[in-house]
Amino acid sequence: MTAASVEYGHALGAWPWGYLLQTWRELDVPEGWRAEIDEGRIVLEPPPHAHQNAIAAQAQRRLYTTLPDHLGIYQTLGIHVARCGKLYVPHLVVMPTELFAAADPETTDPIDAAEALLVVEITSRGNAREDRTKKYRAYARAGVPMYLLIDRFDTRGAMSTLFTEPNEDGTFKHTDAVPFGKPLALPAPFDVSLPTGEFPGAAAP
């Protein structure tokens, strides 16, 4: 199932960011769905496939084995890429827990993507291209230090790719790609290896 657009730009161009953000705050999103802002419109992303949920759970479990106490892993957190006028809700995002200490419990506001240490997106058939292109560029421009793309639909076969060292031009300097079945090392502050052979879609040993 693909994303559904629920708010389009008006005839003279995209809706103003303030209007889109206020609409996003007030949306009554169906359970399991995610509302994102991209290219001047609000888009509803359908609930993750069972394989996406399983991969997210396995990655989160492994990350927590070495995660410093001052960091947390979040599954439904909206992050704002201010330079691009975008708001995404990654499958996983690692943020400092102190960012939420003074948060208003009555307000749903996104967190600046620049505060993220790691963003994880897990592709579906419907959104793989966006994860590989739009979100790749947006996270790089936001200065996210690590973008982990877990792509079961890569033309080379199921792959896990860690992008690091973001550039302001929307690219990452370093790419480390491994097929499902081989471990993928994440550097500090994680210092952990993801066992991609346990991901759904990995070939049997």
Side-chain angles (χ1 to χ4, degrees):
M1 191 174 186
T2 58
S5 181
V6 297
E7 187 73 46
Y8 290 90
H10 53 73
L12 298 179
W15 291 105
W17 171 257
Y19 172 81
L20 288 168
L21 180 59
Q22 187 60 34
T23 303
W24 180 84
R25 290 187 186 116
E26 297 173 354
L27 277 179
D28 185 12
V29 181
E31 184 176 359
W33 288 65
R34 296 175 295 153
E36 300 185 329
I37 299 176
D38 194 5
E39 296 185 351
R41 69 183 192 273
I42 295 175
V43 177
L44 287 181
E45 294 284 350
H49 186 278
H51 284 180
Q52 290 173 296
N53 279 330
I55 291 172
Q58 290 167 352
Q60 180 168 317
R61 187 179 305 115
R62 182 53 64 99
L63 286 169
Y64 265 129
T65 62
T66 60
L67 197 70
D69 291 341
H70 68 282
L71 300 178
I73 304 174
Y74 306 93
Q75 291 195 22
T76 57
L77 180 66
I79 58 174
H80 176 206
V81 184
R83 296 188 62 191
C84 306
K86 299 177 184 292
L87 190 160
Y88 294 134
V89 184
H91 289 96
L92 297 175
V93 57
V94 178
M95 290 270 189
T97 55
E98 66 179 7
L99 295 173
F100 305 92
D104 184 350
E106 302 300 323
T107 302
T108 302
D109 275 334
I111 302 294
D112 187 349
E115 300 286 354
L117 279 79
L118 170 69
V119 168
V120 181
E121 296 284 5
I122 305 166
T123 63
S124 67
R125 289 190 185 277
N127 72 6
R129 183 175 180 180
E130 284 73 18
D131 291 346
R132 298 168 189 155
T133 56
K134 290 182 182 180
K135 293 187 178 182
Y136 167 89
R137 291 192 293 267
Y139 295 144
R141 294 190 68 192
V144 175
M146 302 182 209
Y147 173 38
L148 174 58
L149 177 62
I150 301 176
D151 191 352
R152 295 170 47 239
F153 305 99
D154 191 295
T155 56
R156 299 167 293 177
M159 301 286 291
S160 295
T161 305
L162 181 66
F163 301 99
T164 55
E165 300 182 46
N167 289 311
E168 291 186 356
D169 66 358
T171 62
F172 288 88
K173 293 181 183 178
H174 186 71
T175 301
D176 185 10
V178 302
F180 277 25
K182 292 187 176 181
L184 176 63
L186 272 61
F190 307 104
D191 293 317
V192 70
S193 180
L194 292 181
T196 69
E198 298 176 5
F199 291 166

